[in-house]
Structure formats: structure tokens, C-alpha cells
Amino acid sequence: MYEKLMEEVVSPENYGKALRAVIANDGAPGIDGMKTEKLNGHLLQHWPKIHAKLMAGTYTPSPVRRKEIEKQGGGGGKRMLGIPTVLDRFIQQMLLQAMTPIWEPRFSEHSYGFRPGRSTRDAVRAAQGYAEKGKDWVVDTDISKFFDHVNWDILMGKIGQVIRDKRVLKLIGKYLRAGAMLNGVVVKSVEGTPQGGPLSPLLANIYLDALDRELERRGLSFSRYADDCNIYVSSQAAAERVLESIQEWIEKHLRLQLNVTKSGVGRPWERKFLGFRLNRVNQIEVAPESLERFKTKVREKWRSCQSRTSKQLRDAWRQYIRGWWGYYRLAEDRRSIFRLEGWIRRHIRACFWQRWHKPEGREQRLRQLGLRGRLLKVAASSRGAWHLASTASLHTALSNANLRRHGFLMPSDLAGG
């Protein structure tokens, strides 16, 4: 039962693969300030000592560096990341690579998050499949601050049932208990697995595998991506029964709480899953909450008061919209996305109008863009930028074709339409 797993963890092949992965992922430094590009040199100098400590079970990880980021899920809010040092990311990556082949065959077919060859696309497609078969009531479960409240005893017990190498178990336990550095003081925690390290997603799947097995035992249709799980049933009464009983099971067996304000039951078009929802004909579309967050980002990207050149504004927008579309291109009904394009262009026009400042500068810019005659009168207008962005003058100077030619991409450009 994997009593000598540490030998595999520190093997030369695993070392090289982990080093390449950490360098490719890059990322911010931990509390020691070491950057990713320094890792290889550090290991060349110190690996014999680190190797010896890992083999003896005496290696001690550093505390993580706390960083607050904006949540990507619905409802906004903040999420706390725990950023390990680059060395600890490397060691966690080695653990991850050695443990993944052990756990992958044990995981449920209904689990899609942070697994090789699986993605949000697969999870949403699975949900769509259930709805198409008539299971058109959704039990939407949202675990309250899951990563912060993972019970260490339960987690280590599950790992210990499969892995018997005490050095590996001890090292994982040390990572869980490493704590965080806040204002120069190490703050210890008593539960949870910090988001930010390579090992955390695997530990989450190990912990939640018991939930998958319970749902399978009950014969339920579900799709789970990390701590985001939707269950599909055939009636409202069944959905309400399942929500109540699963909530009790999670509290009793996982010692976690459902977020009662975010969890609930409804039809597929009333609930969201991983930023998407199903419409009334079971097509995948972007959830309204996701579109609202997108609109907030558009406003941020095209604020006129940023200390960036026009080219920098454009390049930052291109990078953002490519990443956004890369995720949401799964949507089959895209009308709600494409309907926003005129509104986005209006923000772009308003942004440039404000950046051109005085009437003389505006007239000069408009002439450079080919405007002539009475259309130039807009340069002296005292009306607001948002109003003027919809006028014929700005639509002519900064036409859709002109914006496209200069690289101001829209989702429809990326969709090929």
C-alpha cells in the first residue's frame, strides 16, 4: 500500500518533470522572495540536503504568503490565496505527480475539477446531458468556504487508507499546518488547505470523493467540479428532499456547511453552474451573473483616466477578451454576448474621446481619422462622453471596421463571425 512512495517522489524523473512544471507555471514568490527563475540554481546548490531531509521525514515547509484575490464565482467577494515559496511549490508538485496516478483510478466519473484530461467544459456538458434526459430540476450546492474548512483528521484519514509511507503523510500534514505569514508574524491554522499550492486541488478531490460516492450510492445524477456540485432530478419535490438530506450528510460526514444563500433548487435556467446555465431548450449559455461581471470588467478596462498609452489599453483588452472568450466560447446560445458588442464599442469611443481632452486636440484626432465637414463640429461639444460616443461623428471616426482594423477585438471576431 505505497509504503515507499517517497522514493518515487524524489526520483530524478519526477524531479525533472516537477521542475519544468513549476518554471512553466511561474507565479508570484512566497515569503522568501525567491522568483521562479532562481529555482534551478537553488536546487543545484541545495538539493542533496533537501533530498536527505525528505527521505528522513524531517523537511519543514515555510509558511505561505497570504494574498487576497477577487472571487470568480457568483456573488463577488474575496478569496484568500496561500502562496508557498517556490521551493515548496516544487516539492508539492513532486508530491502531486507521485500521488495523482494512485488516486485518479479511484475518483468518480462524475468529478471533473483539476483532473488530467477533464475540464469545466466536460462538467457543463454532463449537466446538459442530464437535463436533456428529463432531469430538469437542479439541486445547486455551494459549500461555505470549503478550502478554509477542510477537516485535517478526515483528510489525513482518507489519505492514510491508501498511502502508508509515514514520511509522505508527515510531509502533507506539515503543509496543512504550515500557517501563513501576516505582517511578519506566522499565523497558525487548525483546519483547511490553502489555495495556491499545486497539491491543494488533489487534496480537495480526495476529501470530496466521499460525497461523490454517497451521491452514486443514492443513484443520483450529478456533476462536480471541485466544491461546485449540481445534482439533477425530475421534480421539485425530489430536489427539495435531496437538498435537505445532502446538507445533513455533508455536515455530519464532512463537517462542512452549505452556504444557504447560494445553495438551492430550481430549473436549469434559474441556477448557474461554473459561470454557465442551461436555457429553456437546454442550450448552454453564459449565466447573467457572469455577464454582469464581464460588464464590470469592460468598464474597468476602458476607464479614461488610466496612465497607459492607447496601444497598452488595446493590448490589455485583447489579452482579457481572448482569455474570457477562451472560457465562455462553450456557450451555444451566444446572443446575450454578441448583443453587448455595441455597448462595448461605445465604452471604447467614450474612453478615447475623454483622453483627447480639449476641443483643439479632439478636432485634430478626428481629422486624422478622416472626419471632415460638419461632422467635426462635435469637437466643440460640451455634452458628456457617453452621449457623444453614440453620435454619427464618433461612429464614423471610430467605426466598427476601423476599430477592428486596429485590433480592438470583439467576441464575434474570436468566434469567426
Side-chain angles (χ1 to χ4, degrees):
M1 293 291 285
Y2 304 102
E3 293 179 355
K4 293 189 176 181
L5 186 62
M6 186 59 82
E7 279 76 1
E8 187 176 332
V9 170
V10 300
S11 68
E13 296 80 10
N14 203 43
Y15 174 108
K17 185 180 176 184
L19 181 60
R20 290 190 293 273
V22 171
I23 290 173
N25 289 335
D26 200 6
I31 62 169
D32 62 355
M34 184 193 295
K35 295 184 178 179
T36 310
E37 56 264 29
K38 301 287 186 181
L39 176 60
N40 190 34
H42 181 83
L43 289 172
L44 288 172
Q45 185 176 355
H46 299 287
W47 178 242
K49 289 181 181 178
I50 297 167
H51 179 280
K53 287 180 179 179
L54 291 170
M55 290 296 289
T58 59
Y59 178 83
T60 300
S62 301
V64 297
R65 180 170 68 84
R66 282 293 189 192
K67 182 179 181 182
E68 195 175 63
I69 63 164
E70 199 172 310
K71 278 189 178 180
Q72 294 303 305
K78 300 290 184 179
R79 189 188 299 280
M80 292 301 295
L81 284 187
I83 302 174
T85 63
V86 174
L87 175 60
D88 281 324
R89 288 211 292 275
F90 168 72
I91 294 172
Q92 284 194 33
Q93 183 68 30
M94 288 200 299
L95 283 169
L96 173 67
Q97 292 167 184
M99 291 172 65
T100 295
I102 297 170
W103 288 99
E104 265 302 304
R106 292 173 161 80
F107 287 149
S108 166
E109 282 299 306
H110 305 284
S111 162
Y112 296 93
F114 309 112
R115 295 183 61 189
R118 289 174 165 247
S119 66
T120 52
R121 179 181 298 260
D122 301 315
V124 175
R125 290 280 190 205
Q128 183 183 38
Y130 298 137
E132 288 173 341
K133 291 175 182 175
K135 296 182 183 294
D136 55 359
W137 280 88
V138 184
V139 181
D140 186 358
T141 63
D142 186 286
I143 297 175
S144 181
K145 296 184 177 179
F146 166 72
F147 285 91
D148 294 336
H149 296 303
V150 165
N151 182 280
W152 292 346
D153 291 337
I154 294 175
L155 175 60
M156 294 306 298
K158 292 181 183 301
I159 299 172
Q161 290 171 5
V162 177
I163 295 172
R164 298 295 172 83
D165 190 324
K166 292 182 179 178
R167 297 165 299 180
V168 171
L169 295 174
K170 189 176 179 182
L171 181 57
I172 294 171
K174 284 181 178 179
Y175 274 117
L176 293 174
R177 297 189 300 272
M181 183 74 81
L182 290 172
N183 301 318
V185 178
V186 177
V187 179
K188 295 293 184 182
S189 53
V190 295
E191 61 182 1
T193 171
Q195 288 177 269
L199 195 57
S200 185
L202 176 62
L203 298 182
N205 276 331
I206 292 171
Y207 197 85
L208 290 171
D209 186 61
L211 174 60
D212 298 340
R213 299 308 171 189
E214 177 62 17
L215 295 174
E216 288 174 347
R217 187 187 68 77
R218 298 185 186 193
L220 293 167
S221 300
F222 69 97
S223 180
R224 182 179 68 78
Y225 191 97
D227 57 327
D228 202 341
C229 182
N230 276 10
I231 306 164
Y232 296 82
V233 295
S234 302
S235 70
Q236 182 177 1
E240 289 171 351
R241 277 198 311 273
V242 168
L243 178 60
E244 183 179 356
S245 61
I246 285 299
Q247 182 173 358
E248 291 175 359
W249 188 92
I250 288 172
E251 290 174 0
K252 179 178 179 181
H253 295 278
L254 298 182
R255 299 184 194 173
L256 296 170
Q257 301 287 324
L258 287 190
N259 185 326
V260 294
T261 61
K262 294 183 180 179
S263 301
V265 303
R267 309 307 290 272
W269 54 88
E270 297 171 335
R271 310 299 302 188
K272 63 181 177 62
F273 184 46
L274 302 173
F276 297 92
R277 71 172 181 182
L278 300 176
N279 64 21
R280 291 174 185 268
V281 292
N282 293 323
Q283 289 179 311
I284 299 167
E285 63 180 25
V286 180
E289 298 92 332
S290 302
L291 285 175
E292 285 303 314
R293 287 197 300 277
F294 173 67
K295 289 166 72 174
T296 298
K297 276 291 185 183
V298 170
R299 295 184 187 101
E300 290 175 4
K301 294 289 181 185
W302 294 109
R303 285 186 296 109
S304 63
C305 58
Q306 299 176 72
S307 57
R308 288 182 170 190
T309 65
S310 299
K311 182 177 182 298
Q312 287 171 332
L313 285 175
R314 182 203 63 188
D315 291 348
W317 167 251
R318 285 169 63 91
Q319 182 181 19
Y320 171 73
I321 196 63
R322 285 184 186 280
W324 190 89
W325 180 254
Y327 185 85
Y328 286 104
R329 67 186 303 167
L330 177 63
E332 296 164 337
D333 185 343
R334 298 172 172 178
R335 288 173 296 179
S336 61
I337 301 172
F338 296 157
R339 275 198 295 264
L340 290 175
E341 293 192 353
W343 177 84
I344 295 169
R345 291 191 184 98
R346 189 171 175 181
H347 271 281
I348 295 173
R349 293 179 183 118
C351 174
F352 282 111
W353 178 259
Q354 289 174 305
R355 287 167 67 87
W356 291 340
H357 301 301
K358 297 178 181 180
E360 300 79 20
R362 287 168 178 165
E363 182 175 341
Q364 181 183 2
R365 290 287 189 173
L366 291 172
R367 286 186 181 279
Q368 288 172 352
L369 289 165
L371 227 58
R372 296 293 182 269
R374 63 185 183 82
L375 288 177
L376 286 170
K377 290 181 179 179
V378 73
S381 176
S382 60
R383 297 293 296 270
W386 184 247
H387 168 80
L388 294 171
S390 66
T391 60
S393 295
L394 261 69
H395 268 264
T396 303
L398 295 174
S399 66
N400 294 0
N402 214 355
L403 289 172
R404 185 179 289 113
R405 186 165 58 252
H406 285 89
F408 293 88
L409 293 176
M410 294 294 127
S412 60
D413 299 321
L414 298 169

